[in-house]
Amino acid sequence: ETKELRGNKQQIQGNLTEKKLLLSTTKNSYELNLQLEQGAKGTLSLLTDQQMNSALTLSFNTKNGTITVNRENYGVDFERESENQRSFSIPQDALSLQVFVDRSVIEIFINDGQKVVTARVFPKNDQTGIILEGENSLFSGNIWTLRSMKSEE
């Protein structure tokens, strides 16, 4: 169970208006649960660098019912023939995101698993931030650091 791996918890909430740094950590191992109200439009940037120039982005528009995951402006390019951008249709309703980041793997569960995205990434040492920005709508959620799994002997 992932709940057993959860470490420190940080509650987040606010209004999507401008870039908001949700977390800057020294390691990329966390779980993010995020709820966005109906009509929300914005971008969640994962694994951002300190200058906020490079990130894996998740752009959402619940008015139009679309979500796009884009890794073309991110980290070390390792698969030139791989698809760097994927778009999905989502209900024109509130949006729930559950994001797991474990070093080089990102898993995103959209609306309790109605859509799922898995991405392999290779972040540089300074790519550890999470930024949320968008138009005027409310968000809330939690971020947990994740502990390493220890093998049983």
Side-chain angles (χ1 to χ4, degrees):
E1 292 279 333
T2 59
K3 291 180 182 179
E4 295 174 11
L5 296 176
R6 288 178 177 168
N8 296 332
K9 176 182 175 181
Q10 176 184 337
Q11 289 186 312
I12 54 172
Q13 64 181 18
N15 197 347
L16 288 177
T17 52
E18 55 189 50
K19 285 186 182 182
K20 179 177 174 81
L21 180 65
L22 299 181
L23 181 69
S24 181
T25 181
T26 57
K27 64 178 191 169
N28 287 318
S29 187
Y30 56 85
E31 175 186 352
L32 167 65
N33 289 342
L34 187 61
Q35 288 74 44
L36 300 144
E37 68 181 1
Q38 183 177 4
K41 179 181 177 184
T43 302
L44 174 64
S45 299
L46 303 171
L47 306 170
T48 64
D49 62 7
Q50 294 175 350
Q51 296 77 30
M52 300 181 197
N53 293 328
S54 178
L56 181 139
T57 60
L58 190 100
S59 301
F60 52 87
N61 185 333
T62 62
K63 291 178 188 176
N64 294 341
T66 58
I67 194 163
T68 300
V69 178
N70 187 335
R71 68 176 188 179
E72 63 188 1
N73 186 29
Y74 175 74
V76 177
D77 188 10
F78 66 99
E79 288 186 85
R80 292 196 183 275
E81 290 149 28
S82 178
E83 190 175 346
N84 284 324
Q85 184 170 307
R86 294 175 61 193
S87 295
F88 303 92
S89 295
I90 57 172
Q92 295 173 326
D93 202 352
L95 176 62
S96 171
L97 299 172
Q98 184 177 26
V99 179
F100 292 94
V101 175
D102 188 17
R103 294 178 187 83
S104 65
V105 176
I106 297 176
E107 290 192 301
I108 303 167
F109 296 85
I110 302 165
N111 291 332
D112 299 317
Q114 289 178 357
K115 305 281 184 182
V116 178
V117 177
T118 301
R120 181 89 170 165
V121 294
F122 295 97
K124 297 176 184 172
N125 289 339
D126 70 337
Q127 293 176 307
T128 59
I130 305 170
I131 295 173
L132 182 63
E133 61 185 307
E135 294 181 2
N136 196 19
S137 60
L138 299 175
F139 70 90
S140 64
N142 296 300
I143 302 172
W144 290 271
T145 57
L146 295 179
R147 293 190 265 271
S148 296
M149 291 181 61
K150 295 181 181 177
S151 61
E152 295 179 34
E153 297 185 27

